[in-house]
Every structure is written in C-alpha cells, then in structure tokens.
C-alpha cells in the first residue's frame, strides 16, 4: 500500500531514519492535510528512492517522520536537458512543471536574441519542479539552473551531447531520432515565441551535434512545443519504450 | 507578405468580399491593436482558407474589412477527436488550447465516474479554441462539444472510429500506432485525474476499436497527457510526417 501524500525532503532516507520537518512542511501535513501521529507519508529526496514513513511527532512548527520501508528504488531520468527561452510567467512555470513530469534531468532557462525576460525567479521555478516530482510519482527532481545567455551556453557546450533543436521556420526535416544510439547525453532546445534570430539560427544549424526537428504544420506555443518535443525524444531514445 | 494579426470571423471569405466586424472585433482591432483604414488583417472562417484583408472602415462600434487575396488554402486537420474529462478550470482551458494547436478536429469534454466537474462553459471553451487557431496559424477551428457522459458517448460510438485510450494503470503496452492504416477516423481519450473506474476500464478494454497506450513511467497530469498522446498520434498517423 502506498501513502497518498508524497513529500520531497532534503534529508537522507533509510531504514529507521528520522526526518525532521520544516515549518512549511509541518503546516502542509498537519494544518492543510490534517495528518496526525501514526499516519503515513511517502518521502523522496532525489537520491534514496521513495520511503514510506510514519508521523512520529506533529506540531504546528515542526514534526518528525520515521522511515519504515523503501517503496521505490531511485529511478533517474534519461540524461536529457531541456533548454527554453522564458516567456510569460504562467507559461514559464508550466514548461518547468512539464519538463519535470516528462522526465528531463536538467531544466535550463536561456536568454536568446528575442527573449523578453531578463530575469527569472530560479527558486520559484525549482519549487515548481519539486511539486511536479511530488505529483508525478517520480523519485528524482531535475535541477533548474539560473538564466544563462544561449550563446554562452553554446560556447561551453559538451561535445558529446546531442542537441535537438525545434525551429518553426524549419519544415519537413523530421528528425530520425531513432537512428541515434540510445543512452547518449542529449538536450532539447525550444525557441522563444518570436523565433530564433538569423544569427542564432545560422550558428545552431552549423553545430555538428545539432539536429533540427519539425513539430508539424501548425505553429506551437513554446509550452506545447516543449511537451511535444520531449514526447518524441522519450519515445525514440528515452525511458518510454 | 502575411499580416501579423489573424482574426477568426463567421462570414464567407472570397475575392473582393466585404466582412463586417462585430463590436468586440472592432474594439480589438482599432482600440487594442490601433489599426487604421488601409492596414491589413489575415482572416479565416474555418472554411475558405486564409485571406489577407484591408481595413476599409473603422469605428468604435464596428468596421468593414475587404478581402484582397487568399494567403493559405483551407487545411483541415486529420479526423481526430480528443475526449477528456474536465479538471480544474485553468487546466481544462489549457487542454482545449493544446488540442486546437495540436490539430484535433473535434474536442469533446466527457464526464466519467471520477470526474469532478458536472458542467463546463462550452462557449468559453469554444472561444479558447478560436484563440488557439488564430495564434497557431491554422485555418480550421475544432468544434468543442457540450459535456456528455462517457458511457453515453461509448453507447453511440461509430464502429469505424479507432480509440486510443491512455490509462496510467497500464504499463508497457506501447501502442503500435504506425501499424494502423493512415487516413482512418480516430479518437484519443484522456482519463480524469483520479483515473478510470474499474467499470469504465473494463468496458474500454473490451471495445474492439480500443487501443491502450502507455505514456511512460511517470504519472502525467491530464493536460500533459493530452499533448503527449496527440504528439504520438500525429507523428504516426497524422499530418506531422
């Protein structure tokens, strides 16, 4: 039997391990969800899998959970980065949530020539990734990096990492993803709403590790494109098979 | 050259055709977007393709556009229905928007055993589908039907329409979509957040036209599942190839 409430904690998990709760976590479990001593919560920390725990102490300001048994081993997602240009707040939140659900290992907001946002709230986006992991039953939480300039990310690009790049100006050049070896490091880059600049497009196309992919005849919003591109990749090379 | 503003109108479009504007459309074009006489707008009505039109008259309460030339032929999406159980308002809106972007021909909210919503605002959802079509460059607007009970929809199911059904309780039975003939009528059914009831699952599995599909090892939210399932279908059998 699995507990219905799943909670991400930053604490080691193991047999008999006690896990202290922050004030926020205690408020959620005991105030909002009305749990009392003896009830069960599923815990994960991104490293030790999922553990069923019992509420050992409960107060308004804190509490203690006690690990009972491991209910899932750690399941790492494939080595897939999702790079995207931040858009309106709600849709940026959405992309981060979807990336975590779809099994990205790392989420990287990038600033392109036509990106409007000059800053993001990394802490808030990371919290969305945690919430999505709690929701989707995963045992891993992808890291959300700080906003970086796309050109600098490409300057430092690891040569062995393939890059799937979705461009609405590109039609018909469907990526033969399945022709690639599985198990390699990959990244998906979703362009900004205004598209890539000519300079960026030229540079991206010239990269030896870049693969252009078309996402159909309609122009997809960036958040739709992110889910669609990750679906294509997960089916062909990821953990959906 | 294509005009940047795309507008859906319920009026015939053709060479020299005059198109009167509603008060709302006039407010949007002349108030919000500040267009004046002589400027251009792309029009589509779901039947006659896309037409470039000139603003012939502009006032606060109305206006007249005059069709100049056809810029796109009508492009119908594949014969794909998207059935889904309505969830929280924002996510229901989102599913309708995504279904229109991804190329569903018809969007059908269905009430299942575990669906919370007992009503939807069909007019508001239809408006979301129109807005998504304006945004994604499509020339077709999918119809959003009224909320219907899933069991009644299945009672009246057309025998020649295949049904792709996504169930989180199902693991590993990846659909061999590409083994099917292209050009057939299809539907995708996305389950509610609480999953299907045992009764529903049993009935769905017994249907001769049903195909169960797995969407990977993580539990996807209904809105994510809708985009992922449509991506799989469009790639294998739709207009993405």
């Amino acid at each position: 039997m699995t507990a219905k409430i799943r909670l991400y904690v930053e604490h080691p998990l193991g047999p008999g391990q006690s896990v202290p709760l922050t004030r926020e976590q205690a408020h959620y479990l005991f105030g909002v969800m009305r749990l009392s001593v003896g009830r069960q919560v599923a815990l994960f920390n991104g490293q030790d899998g999922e553990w069923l725990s019992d509420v050992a102490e409960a107060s308004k300001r804190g509490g203690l959970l006690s690990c009972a048994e491991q209910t899932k081993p750690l399941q790492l997602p494939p080595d897939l980065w999702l790079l995207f240009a931040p858009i309106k707040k709600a849709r940026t939140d959405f992309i981060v949530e979807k990336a975590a659900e779809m099994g990205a290992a790392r989420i990287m907001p990038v600033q392109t020539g036509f990106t409007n946002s000059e800053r993001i709230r990394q802490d808030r986006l990371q919290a969305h990734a945690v919430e999505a992991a709690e929701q989707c039953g995963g045992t891993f939480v992808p890291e959300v990096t700080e906003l970086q300039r796309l050109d600098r990310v490409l300057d430092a690009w690891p040569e062995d990492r393939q890059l799937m790049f979705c461009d609405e100006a590109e039609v018909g050049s469907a990526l033969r993803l399945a022709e690639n070896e599985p198990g390699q490091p990959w990244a998906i880059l979703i362009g900004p709403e205004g598209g890539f600049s000519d300079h960026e497009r030229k540079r991206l196309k010239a990269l030896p590790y870049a693969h252009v992919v078309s996402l159909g005849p309609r122009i997809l919003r960036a958040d739709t494109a992110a889910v669609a591109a990750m679906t294509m990749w997960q089916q062909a090379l990821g953990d959906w098979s």
Side-chain angles (χ1 to χ4, degrees), chain A residues 152-205:
Chain A
R152 294 199 184 141
V153 173
L154 293 177
D155 288 345
W157 194 262
E159 271 184 25
D160 64 340
R161 184 171 294 272
Q162 304 299 308
L163 177 65
M164 170 171 160
F165 127 64
C166 306
D167 187 0
E168 63 191 40
E170 202 65 32
V171 184
S173 57
L175 174 65
R176 298 275 160 245
L177 273 180
E179 287 171 12
N180 291 277
E181 293 277 318
Q184 286 185 90
W186 273 82
I188 294 174
L189 169 61
I190 304 292
E193 303 258 306
F196 291 108
S197 70
D198 286 343
H199 177 75
E200 285 165 344
R201 185 172 288 123
K202 202 170 163 185
R203 180 170 182 190
L204 284 165
K205 282 191 179 175

Side-chain angles (χ1 to χ4, degrees), chain A residues 77-80 98-106 142 230 233-234 239-240:
Chain A
D79 187 0
L80 176 68
K98 293 326 177 200
E101 273 182 64
M102 294 291 300
R106 199 176 188 200
M230 285 187 285
W233 190 89
Q234 285 286 21
D239 61 12
W240 280 34

Side-chain angles (χ1 to χ4, degrees), chain A residues 105-117:
Chain A
R106 199 176 188 200
I107 302 170
M108 302 170 65
V110 291
Q111 199 174 353
T112 67
F114 296 159
T115 305
N116 292 324
S117 341

Side-chain angles (χ1 to χ4, degrees), chain A residues 128-149:
Chain A
H128 278 291
V130 166
E131 201 185 317
E134 288 173 342
Q135 169 87 18
C136 77
T139 52
F140 174 84
V141 177
E143 175 202 9
V144 181
T145 60
E146 289 287 354
L147 185 66
Q148 301 170 77
R149 281 177 49 176

